[in-house]
Amino acid sequence: MTRLHKPQHRRGPALGIGRTLALVLPVVLVLSGTLAVTRVNWSGHGSDSMLAASASDASTRAGARAPQDVLRDRLLLELQEEDPGVALTHLQEEVDRKPSLAAHCASLARALGRAAVKQYGATRAQSYARPVCDTSYATGVAAAIG
């Protein structure tokens, strides 16, 4: 008696995963394609306006500089055109006028000290030292020297 062997089909995990992918994958592809298409500018005019908007945002941010940065630039220009004494006097006047700048006074005075050494040399720069923002100007001079 010969027995005919019928192959037994077992449903393994691969078949379940395959069927799930067969159902889910087309849905995912359609949704991702739809989202990609909605992000494309089909009018042909939007990219220029987006670039212009980005440029105007950047110029607005660049134009809105912090007060201490504006003051630093102005004082460094005064130091070059006049002398460190004038810049230090104006620094003290600005800090007295706007107390919110007091937190930045030391860093501003140190920047003036470093710039003075570059422009006038160590000895002459040190001769302008005065007690504006404690000894920060002198600290800036010393830092630029050594």
Side-chain angles (χ1 to χ4, degrees):
M1 304 198 159
T2 60
R3 210 177 211 200
L4 294 174
H5 288 287
K6 256 184 160 173
Q8 292 180 357
H9 292 284
R10 291 186 187 172
R11 293 187 178 184
L15 184 61
I17 292 172
R19 284 187 180 174
T20 303
L21 281 175
L23 292 172
V24 173
L25 192 58
V27 173
V28 170
L29 290 174
V30 168
L31 287 176
S32 64
T34 302
L35 293 173
V37 168
T38 59
R39 298 214 30 139
V40 173
N41 177 10
W42 295 102
S43 68
H45 300 294
S47 63
D48 295 336
S49 63
M50 287 181 73
L51 287 175
S54 297
S56 67
D57 290 346
S59 65
T60 301
R61 279 182 265 140
R65 296 177 54 212
Q68 66 272 14
D69 295 335
V70 173
L71 179 59
R72 177 181 292 114
D73 291 347
R74 193 183 74 186
L75 293 172
L76 289 172
L77 185 64
E78 286 179 356
L79 183 137
Q80 290 174 354
E81 293 176 352
E82 307 260 344
D83 63 52
V86 172
L88 286 169
T89 299
H90 288 153
L91 172 60
Q92 187 64 56
E93 290 171 356
E94 285 297 313
V95 170
D96 291 342
R97 194 170 67 81
K98 293 181 189 173
S100 63
L101 291 171
H104 306 284
C105 187
S107 66
L108 292 169
R110 279 191 300 274
L112 290 174
R114 288 189 298 268
V117 169
K118 288 179 184 174
Q119 176 138 358
Y120 297 101
T123 304
R124 188 164 174 213
Q126 187 61 38
S127 71
Y128 289 102
R130 53 177 82 158
V132 175
C133 308
D134 296 327
T135 57
S136 297
Y137 175 82
T139 304
V141 170
I145 294 171

